[in-house]
Amino acid sequence: MSVNILFSYFVLGITLAAPIGPVNSARLDKGLKNGFWHAWIVGLGAMIADAIFMMMVYVGLVKFLDIPIVQTFLWLFGGFVLLYSGIEGMFAAKKLTIDYRSSPDSMLKCFMVGFIMSITSPLSILFWLGIYGSVLAKTAVTYGTSSLLVYTSMIFIGLTCWDIFVASLTTVFRRFLNDASIKAISIISGLSLVGFGVYFGYQGITALLG
């Protein structure tokens, strides 16, 4: 088992988690409002969705996602989830105060935000099935199938490290923020989610009409 390959899979995990997208926007938003554990639990929900995508690659369900009607549904539903979350976040931002942050969102709600955003995101699906599927196939051909589970575990270690890093970052920043800055960041985060939602919805409508 190559240490270099293990490290490359670890880096791959961080690379997959790092790009700014709906999940990272939600993670930052929940972390700045509520603290470390709420940011971390958003990432955990997303990682559970990632695990499901990985299992789909393993058991050969990738072709199911190639069906046009399934792709259209995912675009539209993912767009709806992001639009709803973004608009709700912006309206809630107006009421945010330090007292409000002392009564944080429930852990279950934060978990479901991360899970639903990731599991319904066509970009996430295509990213995982495309990159992970191709890397998995190449590794199997080059190094055999005996160590695939270990290599895949390194991806999850990378994902976990990124989740902890972002959650810690929001905790540090939160100490230096006042109500006005929390509201501003929450609105920006909401706008980001709405932007992704509009893009997803546009893709879904285009696919539906096409």
Side-chain angles (χ1 to χ4, degrees):
M1 186 178 298
S2 171
V3 175
N4 290 334
I5 297 298
L6 288 174
F7 180 73
S8 67
Y9 267 74
F10 171 78
V11 173
L12 176 61
I14 294 177
T15 304
L16 291 172
I20 296 299
V23 174
N24 274 329
S25 294
R27 183 186 283 142
L28 290 170
D29 182 55
K30 297 298 183 185
L32 290 173
K33 290 178 184 176
N34 305 308
F36 175 87
W37 291 109
H38 290 77
W40 180 81
I41 206 73
V42 171
L44 179 63
M47 280 192 287
I48 297 299
D50 293 337
I52 292 174
F53 293 145
M54 287 184 175
M55 288 303 299
M56 292 180 73
V57 174
Y58 270 110
V59 301
L61 293 179
V62 180
K63 293 182 179 180
F64 175 75
L65 296 175
D66 290 333
I67 302 174
I69 189 64
V70 174
Q71 294 178 353
T72 301
F73 170 77
L74 289 172
W75 280 118
L76 292 175
F77 185 67
F80 169 76
V81 170
L82 292 173
L83 283 171
Y84 176 82
S85 299
I87 293 172
E88 181 191 42
M90 285 189 290
F91 275 108
K94 298 178 181 179
K95 302 177 182 179
L96 280 177
T97 64
I98 293 176
D99 291 336
Y100 175 84
R101 280 181 278 156
S102 64
S103 299
D105 296 326
S106 70
M107 288 291 193
L108 178 60
K109 180 180 178 180
C110 291
F111 175 85
M112 292 306 298
V113 164
F115 178 79
I116 293 175
M117 282 187 179
S118 187
I119 203 73
T120 61
S121 170
L123 293 180
S124 180
I125 293 169
L126 294 174
F127 203 54
W128 274 106
L129 297 186
I131 295 178
Y132 176 70
S134 60
V135 170
L136 193 71
K138 181 179 179 180
T139 304
V141 170
T142 307
Y143 301 100
T145 59
S146 59
S147 300
L148 286 180
L149 184 59
V150 177
Y151 292 141
T152 298
S153 298
M154 293 304 296
I155 293 180
F156 268 90
I157 292 174
L159 292 173
T160 303
C161 287
W162 178 259
D163 192 22
I164 293 172
F165 169 74
V166 174
S168 301
L169 200 63
T170 58
T171 303
V172 172
F173 283 155
R174 189 169 178 253
R175 298 174 183 174
F176 303 100
L177 298 176
N178 55 27
D179 291 339
S181 55
I182 285 286
K183 290 178 181 178
I185 292 171
S186 188
I187 290 173
I188 293 171
S189 176
L191 287 172
S192 173
L193 294 179
V194 168
F196 282 109
V198 169
Y199 174 74
F200 282 20
Y202 172 77
Q203 294 295 329
I205 292 172
T206 301
L208 190 64
L209 297 179

